[in-house]
Amino acid sequence: MTAPVVALAMGLALLLGGCATPQPSGRNPADIHAAFSASPAHWVETDAVVTISNPVIATEVRNAILEAPLPPELAFSDVQVSARSGALALHIEGQIGAGEAPPTAVRFNGYIMLSYASSGLRWRPVIESVEGEGAIAPDDATAWVMRANNVLASQVVAGQRNHLGLRLQPPSAVALRAGLPGLGLEPRTQSFPVDGAYTVAASMVHTDAGQSVVALDLEFVDGLSYCASDFSIGRAAFATEIRDREPRNLVAHVPASVRPLHYFTEVSETRRPFTLVHYWFADGRAVDVTELPVEPSARWRTWSSLPAVAGTARHIEVFAADRDSGCILSADHIEVAPATGISASQFNLATSGFTTTLPGKSPAGVELSRVTVADTLNKSLRGARFALQFETPIAIEQAMSGALLVRDAANLQCAPPDCSVKTECPVDFSRCTRMQDSRECTTCLFRNPLNNRCISEQVDSACEARKTTLNERYSREWEACMAREESAQAACQERGQEAIEVCETRAAQFVQACTANQQVLQAHNGPVAVVSGEGRAQGTLAIAFSELQVSGDMAALKGMAGLAPNLEADGTLAFAPGDGLGSLADCIGQWSAPFQSNFDRPQATRRLAAPLGFADGTLSSTWPGLTLPLAMNRGPVESILSDQPAHFANCMPGLEADDTSVQATGSDDLLLRGILAVDVVDAAAHITLPAVSFTAGGAAYSAEALAAGWLYRYAMEPASRN
C-alpha cells in the first residue's frame, strides 16, 4: 500500500439519477474515493479489516453490470475495473441511441465505491463521463451520464446485485454441556441462540494494485440477527424523494446538506400481515425506530425517513427487520460526504497491527480484533440465562438416618404468652331507633268563606287512642333494643375475662412445662431423637448457567451455575426418643409420620471460572470438579414438624419447628435437611466464531477463524465449485 490516498473537499452531490448530475471532469477517482471515507476525527478504533482481491471485485462488477436489464436505448458490451491511483477505476464499453438513429459506440468512465455495512461488503458504480467515436455534445453527455447512473442505481444497487458477501457475524450460539451421573443423567449438549449483529460506525478504504482494504469501526446491536424468515425484501434503496409509492433520485452517497433522505423497501410475496421495522443508525448509534405495517401482497412498498437527530453523522445504516422474530431482512447504508478525507499514513496508522495482505492465492481475508470479539460476547451474553434441560425424568430414592439435636437449649426462653390484651366489646346504640307517631287527630268543622281558615275544630278520639297505643309500642321496642345491646356488651366482657383467665392458666402451664423441658434438655447431653427413614424425588432437572462473561483478553470465561429443578418429594421418617428424656420421650415418639415437599424454589448457585481456549474456530472452557446443591423447599424433618404443630408444641414449647431450633446431625444431616450435593461432570461451554464465506466467479469460498496473536484471522479458500 504505497499509493497515497488523496483527500479533496467535495461539494458535489453524487445523486444517481438525482437533482444534481456528475459532470465530466477527468478527476482522479482516488480523490473522490478518499473524500467519502471516514475522517479520523470520527474514528474510535479499528475492530476489523476486510481485504479482497481486485480481480475478484472486477469479475463481480463485470458480471453484475452485463447481466443487469437495460432499456432499449442503452447497451453494455464490456466492463473493465482496474486499480488506478489508490482507487478502482470503472470503464464500460457500450452503445447509446434513441429513435431510428444508428447507435453510437461509447465508453463510460467512472469508479467503483467499495464499502462495508452490516449485510456485508458491497460496491457501488459511479459514472462520471462518457466518450464516443465522435464528439458528443456536453448536454447530451450530461444526459447520458445521468441515464447510465439511473440504470445502474435501479438495476444493480436497488436490485441488490452489488453484494460481495463477506459478512462478519458475531457469535450466534452458545453450546453448553454437562452430565449428572449420580442422578442417572448422561452428559448432553444443548445449543442456545444469541441474537446480535454488527453495524458500522465508520469505515476507511484503501486500494493498491492487487487488493482493496476496508478498515471498520464496528458497533454491536443486541436483539437483532440475520436468521431465516418467512418474508423477503425484493428492493431496497435510499432516495431523496418518494413519489407515487416509488423511490426517486436514488442515491449512493450524499453531501451533508441533502435532506430529506428516505429508505425505501419493497417486501415480496407476503402471505400474511406483519410489522416491518426500520432501525436507523448514525455512526453506529441508534437514532430512530419506525414500525411499518405490511399487508399480504405480491409487492408491498413502504419507507421511512432519516430523523433530524442524525446530525452530522457520516455513516447512515438501516436495518429492515421483522418485529416479531428480530430477523434482519435487509440492511443498507449510505455515506455522507465529509469535508476532508484521509491520507495513506492515517490509514496505515488506523490499521497498525493488522496484516492487510492476502495470503497466497486467497481471494479475500478478514481480521477481527480479539478485544472486539470479547466486547461483542459480553454484550450479547449480558443478562442471559441458559437452562441446560435434561429431558429424561429422574427418580431418586435415598435412605437417611441421623440424630436430632436441640440448638441452644440453655437459651430456651420460657416467657409466657401475653394475656393482658383485653377483648374489645363495642356497643352500637345507633341500631336502636326510637320511632314516633306524630299524626294530627283534629278535624275542622267550619271554615271562614273569605280566607278558608278553620273557625271550629273537633278532636278525633279514636285517632288519638290509636296514636297513643302505637307510640307506647315504639317506646317498648326501643327500650328492649337498648337492653339487648347492653346485655351483649356485658356478655362479651364476660367472655373476654374468661379468655384472660384461660390464657393465664395455660401460660402458667406453659412456663411450668417449658421450665421442666429446659432443665431436662440442659442436663441431656445426647440427641433428643434418632431419625431414620427414606425419601423419594421424581421429576425433571436442568442446569441454569447465567452471568457468562469473558475477560477482555479472551483468556478466561466466568459465570454462575445452579440447578433448576421441577421435582416432587415424599417419604417417611421415624423418630426414636433419646435416653433420659423422661416424659418427653412419649411425646417425641409421636412425631413419626410421612412427609411431602418439592424442589421448585430458586437454588443456590456456584461461581464458575476457567481458562478459555481456542481451537478449530471454537472458544471452549471446561469446569471440572463442579458440585451443585439441590435443596427442598422444606427438608424432611422440618416438613414433619411443621405439619404437626400441636405435637411439636406439646414437646418443645418455646421452640420453632425449623432449623433454627432443631438440627439434624450425622453423615446424612444434609439429606434430613433436604439438601443433596450433585456432582456435575463434563461441564463445558463452547462458543463458535461463525465462518466467513462468499461466492465469486462461480466459486464458493469460506474460512474458519484462526488465532493470530491479538487477532482472529480468516483466509478464504475454495469450498466448492458450481
Side-chain angles (χ1 to χ4, degrees), residues 258-279:
V258 172
R259 292 294 188 274
L261 182 64
H262 311 287
Y263 186 62
F264 170 86
T265 309
E266 180 181 282
V267 187
S268 302
E269 304 296 337
T270 308
R271 300 185 181 277
R272 58 183 175 86
F274 77 103
T275 299
L276 182 71
V277 183
H278 282 179
Y279 296 90

Side-chain angles (χ1 to χ4, degrees), residues 355-429:
T355 303
T356 67
T357 301
L358 291 175
K361 297 182 179 180
S362 177
V366 175
E367 291 179 321
L368 190 60
S369 163
R370 290 166 66 99
V371 174
T372 300
V373 174
D375 183 61
T376 298
L377 279 172
N378 288 337
K379 288 180 179 177
S380 63
L381 295 174
R382 186 173 297 131
R385 184 176 184 271
F386 308 104
L388 176 60
Q389 184 69 51
F390 293 93
E391 299 175 352
T392 304
I394 62 174
I396 307 171
E397 293 190 7
Q398 184 70 54
M400 62 192 85
S401 62
L404 197 66
L405 302 178
V406 173
R407 304 178 65 176
D408 297 329
N411 297 323
L412 185 65
Q413 300 297 318
C414 293
D418 185 10
C419 298
S420 62
V421 179
K422 295 183 178 180
T423 304
E424 295 293 332
C425 296
V427 59
D428 186 7
F429 292 117

